[in-house]
Amino acid sequence: MSVTKQQALEYHSGARPGKIEVSSTKPCLTQRDLSLAYTPGVAEPCMEIRDNPQNVFKYTARGNLVAVVTNGTAVLGLGDIGALAGKPVMEGKGVLFKRFADVDVFDIELDTHDPDEIVKACQLLEPTFGGINLEDIKAPECFYIEETLRKTMKIPVFHDDQHGTAIITGAALLNALEVTSKDISKIRVVFNGAGAAGIATAEHYERLGVKHENIILCDTKGVIYKGRTDGMNKYKERFAQDTKLRTLADAMRGADLFVGLSVKGAVTADMVRSMALNPIVFAMANPDPEITYEEAKACRGDILMATGRSDYPSQINNVLGFPFIFRGALDVHATAINEEMKLAATRALAALAKEDVPDSVCRAYGVQRLRFGPDYLIPKPFDPRVLLWEASAVAEAAMRSGVAQKPIDLDEYRDQLERRLGKAHEIAHMMVQKAQSRPKQVVFPEGEHEKILRAAHLLREENIAYPILLGQEATIGRNAAELGLDLTGIRIVDPECSPLRERFIQELYRLRQRRGVTTTEARVMMKDPNVFGSMMVHMGEADALVAGVSQHFPDTIRPALQIVGTREGLKKVSGCYLMITRSGRLYLLADPSVNIDPTAEDLVEIALCAAGTARRFNLTPRVAMLSFSTFGSTKHPQTEKVRKAVDLLHQADPTLVVDGEVMADVAVSPELLEKNYQFSTLKGGANVLIFPDLASANIAYKLLAKLGGGTTLGPILMGMSKPVHVVARDTEVEEIVNVAAIAVVDAQENELLHWPATNEPLEVAGSRVLES
């Protein structure tokens, strides 16, 4: 997937430069908090640690803190760019540690080429960290640094460039051999690239069962053979073979497996043709492989191919390794990451790939099915099960091999990992992947707006949607040029001169003629891009509409309600937000955006729509009908309205878990429900919260987002016959992309369900649309 320079720079800059921050895990809001966080209270844990050093894991964050250490001498494909220039990569590593395994990171950039200085710095920092991840340090110095640190330190030290690649490709190797029915002890393996990754991977393959004499290592000067002196070191010497082979082409003739850790174009089609029957090719040069997937498949129909790229099948990605390996090592307070733990990680990944893949993972990657075979050799990075399988396997191996200082019960540990994982699973990414499986046409009435242009570019580039921009073509072109955006493949429609205009005017008149709209007025109304966009959706010229970045909510939604209409059987549209708390819990909040004072019957529709939306996000809905009363504690018309809605909901859908009226704190507290309200059906707490009116819902979601640190996704408009979604006026480009992805997924589901519209588009009495 291509990324422009401007996109990368904007991502890393923004209002808060960089990608990471330090966040307090304890409150510091009062004088008492301050006295506990620092002096005098902090002296107590200090004394406890002095008396028993193991208490450092009880009273500090050391047990979840990893140092990512580099000197910037081998950064990605950029080479020796120095410690300072390598800092964005190290921050990125920290993001991956946190996102995939909830491991905290400090990045440490050391301005030195002296390996002994790097060793000394890491040794001095041992009291601070639970582990050291060495990163982007060139060979052969990286071997010496890691070997020395592993001998002298009592915390895990892991060079990801070496062992991450080895572990992940090792899992792919085991499964590729199973698919091709090859014997690991008999295969001939050729490596191109004799740096840190190449040598470590060759050693790992030996431990998996590949015979040493069956491994040929090549570098830029050709085959590494006994007696060669040019470009050699003691680490390459381990794999020097007594052979007459001298070139990569020589080595690949008759080989079963090629492992590329080198450069683009290093392998030719003739080399692949010369390999053994059912050849396996791991071409992992970054960003472009040694031979492209298309070239390799074209020259060998029996080839099994994997690369480092996400746009080809069987991606080999190091992110499947280091976060989860450190997670397991940290949680047992391991003193090292040894070979047993690396082998356990490899075998866990290989085994997981053979398991039935959950539908949620398939949806996240926009495919119907993922099944073990040539195109699916190892799990996907966003598969939440990787944390459970790999971290627990690493922890178990650490205990078995004697490097764990804190033995754990593995069943309890897996439960702990489940809780750490939460239920978020990168919701926005999941929706994007679903959208990419069958992109739909999304019309943007504000097509000349900068944010819409940037969002449209991303949507088309990443194949999420087919954007349609409304506006003057010259203005859109000029604005796009100023932003450096390529709008190739994006449809631009000018409502003022579109050939669709007359047909739309006549249809608008037909729809609104009994609501005071004449043909002349319909012609005037059609100048409004929101009206024109709504007509495009109504008439099938677009599948969905997204608007609101420069307009007030009522102005955006009113035309859609009048033209697109509500789904058959519903009287109201409503809105909801998905709230992801800092702990990773998901809640659906409704209705914070449309209905000002809904009736009991309106609340029923809102609750049923919200429950359906929750299921789309893989949430099993447990619906709480909120009020300022809990199960009859206060008598008031407002509480009676909510209680009536609960009764109606039980009749409308007896299978739905719903209860109320209930106060918000009780609804989301399993402990309070279990202690005081054992009769309630909300076991485990509610995850769909239906508020009694717009004011309470709107205030609650904004406070949760601003003060509680929650992340919101939405607004999501529910109940329309075709997808219409409204973004907030201060929304960011990424949020527009996410909402557009939701709109595409809505359109996909509408296509399957064939939702009809009501015969007459309905107004929404008592809504923000009419009251504003």
Side-chain angles (χ1 to χ4, degrees):
M1 184 177 296
S2 62
V3 175
T4 68
K5 177 180 179 179
Q6 188 60 32
Q7 288 169 345
L9 294 178
E10 286 181 358
Y11 177 85
H12 284 81
S13 56
R16 187 163 188 163
K19 301 190 288 283
I20 58 175
E21 67 176 359
V22 176
S23 180
S24 174
T25 60
K26 301 295 189 295
C28 190
L29 303 173
T30 66
Q31 181 62 39
R32 180 178 180 275
D33 293 341
L34 188 60
S35 297
L36 291 169
Y38 201 57
T39 184
V42 74
E44 299 303 330
C46 291
M47 300 302 291
E48 292 292 314
I49 295 167
R50 182 200 64 180
D51 295 340
N52 179 5
Q54 285 299 110
N55 279 335
V56 72
F57 296 108
K58 181 178 180 180
Y59 296 115
T60 77
R62 186 189 184 215
N64 197 51
L65 189 60
V66 168
V68 173
V69 178
T70 191
N71 67 348
T73 53
V75 179
L76 302 177
L78 305 174
D80 186 351
I81 61 173
L84 186 63
K87 185 174 177 64
V89 178
M90 305 312 126
E91 286 192 359
K93 201 80 172 186
V95 170
L96 299 181
F97 265 109
K98 189 66 178 178
R99 164 60 184 85
F100 287 100
D102 196 25
V103 173
D104 296 319
V105 162
F106 286 156
D107 56 296
I108 308 292
E109 292 77 30
L110 300 174
D111 190 11
T112 179
H113 282 68
D114 184 343
D116 288 314
E117 288 188 338
I118 296 173
V119 167
K120 186 64 174 177
C122 291
Q123 290 170 335
L124 291 172
L125 286 168
E126 182 169 355
T128 303
F129 296 100
I132 302 283
N133 183 99
L134 299 172
E135 191 75 20
D136 291 348
I137 301 172
K138 72 181 180 70
E141 289 89 340
C142 62
F143 299 116
Y144 165 76
I145 292 167
E146 188 190 41
E147 288 172 359
T148 305
L149 292 176
R150 289 182 64 180
K151 291 175 184 175
T152 59
M153 298 182 74
K154 289 184 169 56
I155 59 174
V157 178
F158 184 83
H159 185 204
D160 182 51
D161 301 302
Q162 294 183 57
H163 309 299
T165 304
I167 289 163
I168 311 311
T169 64
L173 170 63
L174 293 179
N175 285 342
L177 293 176
E178 182 172 330
V179 171
T180 57
S181 301
K182 291 177 183 276
D183 185 339
I184 195 169
S185 67
K186 296 178 181 178
I187 61 169
R188 284 190 54 233
V189 183
V190 176
F191 283 84
N192 195 42
I199 291 172
T201 302
E203 291 175 340
H204 191 65
Y205 283 13
E206 281 193 79
R207 287 186 285 271
L208 288 170
V210 177
K211 299 293 186 185
H212 180 82
E213 59 268 23
N214 289 344
I215 296 175
I216 295 292
L217 208 63
C218 300
D219 60 11
T220 56
K221 302 182 185 304
V223 172
I224 293 171
Y225 59 90
K226 285 190 181 296
R228 195 184 109 173
T229 57
D230 191 14
M232 293 294 287
N233 58 53
K234 67 177 184 178
Y235 304 102
K236 292 182 182 181
E237 194 66 46
R238 297 176 191 168
F239 288 94
Q241 299 287 5
D242 188 2
T243 179
K244 293 182 180 180
L245 303 175
R246 291 297 181 266
T247 67
L248 176 61
D250 293 340
M252 286 186 67
R253 195 170 295 114
D256 296 283
L257 169 64
F258 170 77
V259 181
L261 296 158
S262 52
V263 294
K264 172 185 177 181
V267 173
T268 66
D270 286 340
M271 292 180 189
V272 174
R273 289 191 192 99
S274 74
M275 294 179 72
L277 187 67
N278 298 320
I280 304 166
V281 172
F282 295 162
M284 296 175 290
N286 183 22
D288 297 306
E290 284 80 359
I291 183 170
T292 68
Y293 184 83
E294 293 85 0
E295 289 173 320
K297 294 293 263 185
C299 66
R300 288 292 293 261
D302 61 343
I303 193 171
L304 192 155
M305 178 88 171
T307 70
R309 292 177 62 122
S310 61
D311 51 352
Y312 293 142
S314 292
Q315 181 192 17
I316 295 174
N317 191 327
N318 275 22
V319 78
L320 279 170
F322 64 87
F324 313 105
I325 292 164
F326 268 100
R327 179 76 276 153
L330 292 171
D331 289 340
V332 296
H333 301 171
T335 57
I337 294 174
N338 57 26
E339 305 311 326
E340 291 88 346
M341 295 160 74
K342 297 171 194 171
L343 288 168
T346 287
R347 291 181 176 127
L349 288 170
L352 178 56
K354 299 172 193 174
E355 294 291 308
D356 183 56
V357 182
D359 289 342
S360 60
V361 176
C362 296
R363 286 196 297 269
Y365 285 87
V367 297
Q368 288 289 329
R369 293 288 295 159
L370 284 170
R371 193 171 286 139
F372 175 68
D375 292 338
Y376 179 69
L377 294 173
I378 53 177
K380 297 290 188 181
F382 283 97
D383 188 334
R385 302 171 303 166
V386 175
L387 176 64
L388 309 179
W389 282 61
E390 190 173 359
S392 59
V394 169
E396 183 179 16
M399 291 188 289
R400 278 202 320 265
S401 59
V403 297
Q405 300 179 89
K406 178 190 172 187
I408 57 175
D409 179 280
L410 285 172
D411 289 333
E412 292 180 2
Y413 180 53
R414 291 187 186 96
D415 290 341
Q416 176 191 328
L417 291 173
E418 286 273 14
R419 290 192 298 272
R420 185 184 291 277
L421 187 65
K423 294 184 179 179
H425 305 329
E426 200 62 55
I427 294 296
H429 177 81
M430 179 189 75
M431 298 304 288
V432 164
Q433 293 292 331
K434 289 173 71 173
Q436 287 172 326
S437 67
R438 290 201 324 279
K440 299 293 181 182
Q441 296 186 93
V442 179
V443 61
F444 293 90
E446 300 149 298
E448 298 173 0
H449 194 282
E450 173 188 337
K451 288 184 177 179
I452 296 298
L453 289 171
R454 291 166 60 199
H457 174 73
L458 289 171
L459 289 166
R460 185 76 289 273
E461 185 180 59
E462 298 184 17
N463 200 38
I464 299 168
Y466 302 118
I468 301 171
L469 302 177
L470 299 189
Q472 294 183 349
E473 188 167 358
T475 303
I476 290 174
R478 183 173 62 253
N479 293 348
E482 290 175 357
L483 294 168
L485 299 176
D486 180 8
L487 298 184
T488 301
I490 294 177
R491 183 180 171 192
I492 299 172
V493 177
D494 186 345
E496 293 282 349
C497 56
S498 169
L500 300 171
R501 179 176 173 81
E502 287 303 318
R503 182 158 59 97
F504 284 5
I505 289 170
Q506 295 306 315
E507 176 64 10
L508 178 60
Y509 170 65
R510 186 190 69 80
L511 289 173
R512 305 296 297 171
Q513 60 187 346
R514 292 185 179 275
R515 293 183 179 270
V517 175
T518 65
T519 306
T520 301
E521 288 169 328
R523 190 174 299 279
V524 173
M525 291 172 65
M526 201 55 63
K527 295 179 180 179
D528 182 349
N530 289 310
V531 173
F532 193 93
S534 297
M535 286 301 303
M536 289 191 76
V537 174
H538 172 67
M539 300 290 284
E541 295 288 338
D543 300 300
L545 180 147
V546 173
V549 70
S550 63
Q551 306 170 83
H552 291 290
F553 181 92
D555 299 328
T556 305
I557 193 62
R558 187 185 296 110
L561 290 171
Q562 294 172 344
I563 296 166
V564 178
T566 55
R567 202 165 68 213
E568 189 175 48
L570 296 180
K571 296 180 180 179
K572 294 288 180 73
V573 295
S574 54
C576 70
Y577 277 86
L578 184 72
M579 175 70 64
I580 308 170
T581 68
R582 296 191 66 171
S583 64
R585 293 183 65 86
L586 305 186
Y587 296 93
L588 206 73
L589 281 60
D591 169 13
S593 52
V594 179
N595 295 285
I596 293 175
D597 187 16
T599 65
E601 291 75 13
D602 296 337
L603 290 175
V604 171
E605 286 193 3
I606 293 169
L608 292 173
C609 287
T613 301
R615 294 186 187 99
R616 196 183 331 142
F617 288 102
N618 299 329
L619 275 179
T620 301
R622 298 188 300 274
V623 182
M625 306 299 288
L626 302 182
S627 180
F628 56 85
S629 168
T630 295
F631 302 123
S633 62
T634 302
K635 303 295 183 184
H636 187 275
Q638 286 290 335
T639 63
E640 292 301 321
K641 175 182 77 171
V642 177
R643 183 181 287 242
K644 178 182 177 183
V646 174
D647 292 339
L648 293 173
L649 274 166
H650 288 152
Q651 298 171 32
D653 185 356
T655 66
L656 182 65
V657 176
V658 58
D659 212 345
E661 84 289 11
V662 59
M663 292 185 188
D665 59 333
V666 175
V668 298
S669 173
E671 297 80 12
L672 285 176
L673 287 165
E674 179 63 30
K675 179 180 179 182
N676 299 325
Y677 309 100
Q678 296 90 343
F679 56 84
S680 174
T681 58
L682 296 175
K683 307 300 182 187
N687 53 21
V688 177
L689 307 178
I690 308 300
F691 290 80
D693 52 42
L694 185 142
S696 57
N698 192 275
I699 292 167
Y701 106 80
K702 289 187 174 180
L703 283 176
L704 283 169
K706 190 62 80 173
L707 302 183
T711 301
T712 60
L713 183 60
I716 302 167
L717 203 61
M718 306 181 295
M720 298 293 293
S721 66
K722 294 183 178 180
V724 174
H725 289 288
V726 183
V727 296
R729 294 181 73 193
D730 59 350
T731 197
E732 297 298 326
V733 172
E734 185 180 9
E735 292 168 333
I736 298 170
V737 171
N738 290 339
V739 171
I742 293 172
V744 170
V745 174
D746 280 349
Q748 292 171 349
E749 294 180 357
N750 272 15
E751 191 175 61
L752 295 174
L753 298 171
H754 303 292
W755 288 120
T758 52
N759 291 328
E760 176 68 21
L762 300 178
E763 305 286 7
V764 183
S767 74
R768 289 173 68 190
V769 179
L770 296 184
E771 297 291 336
S772 297

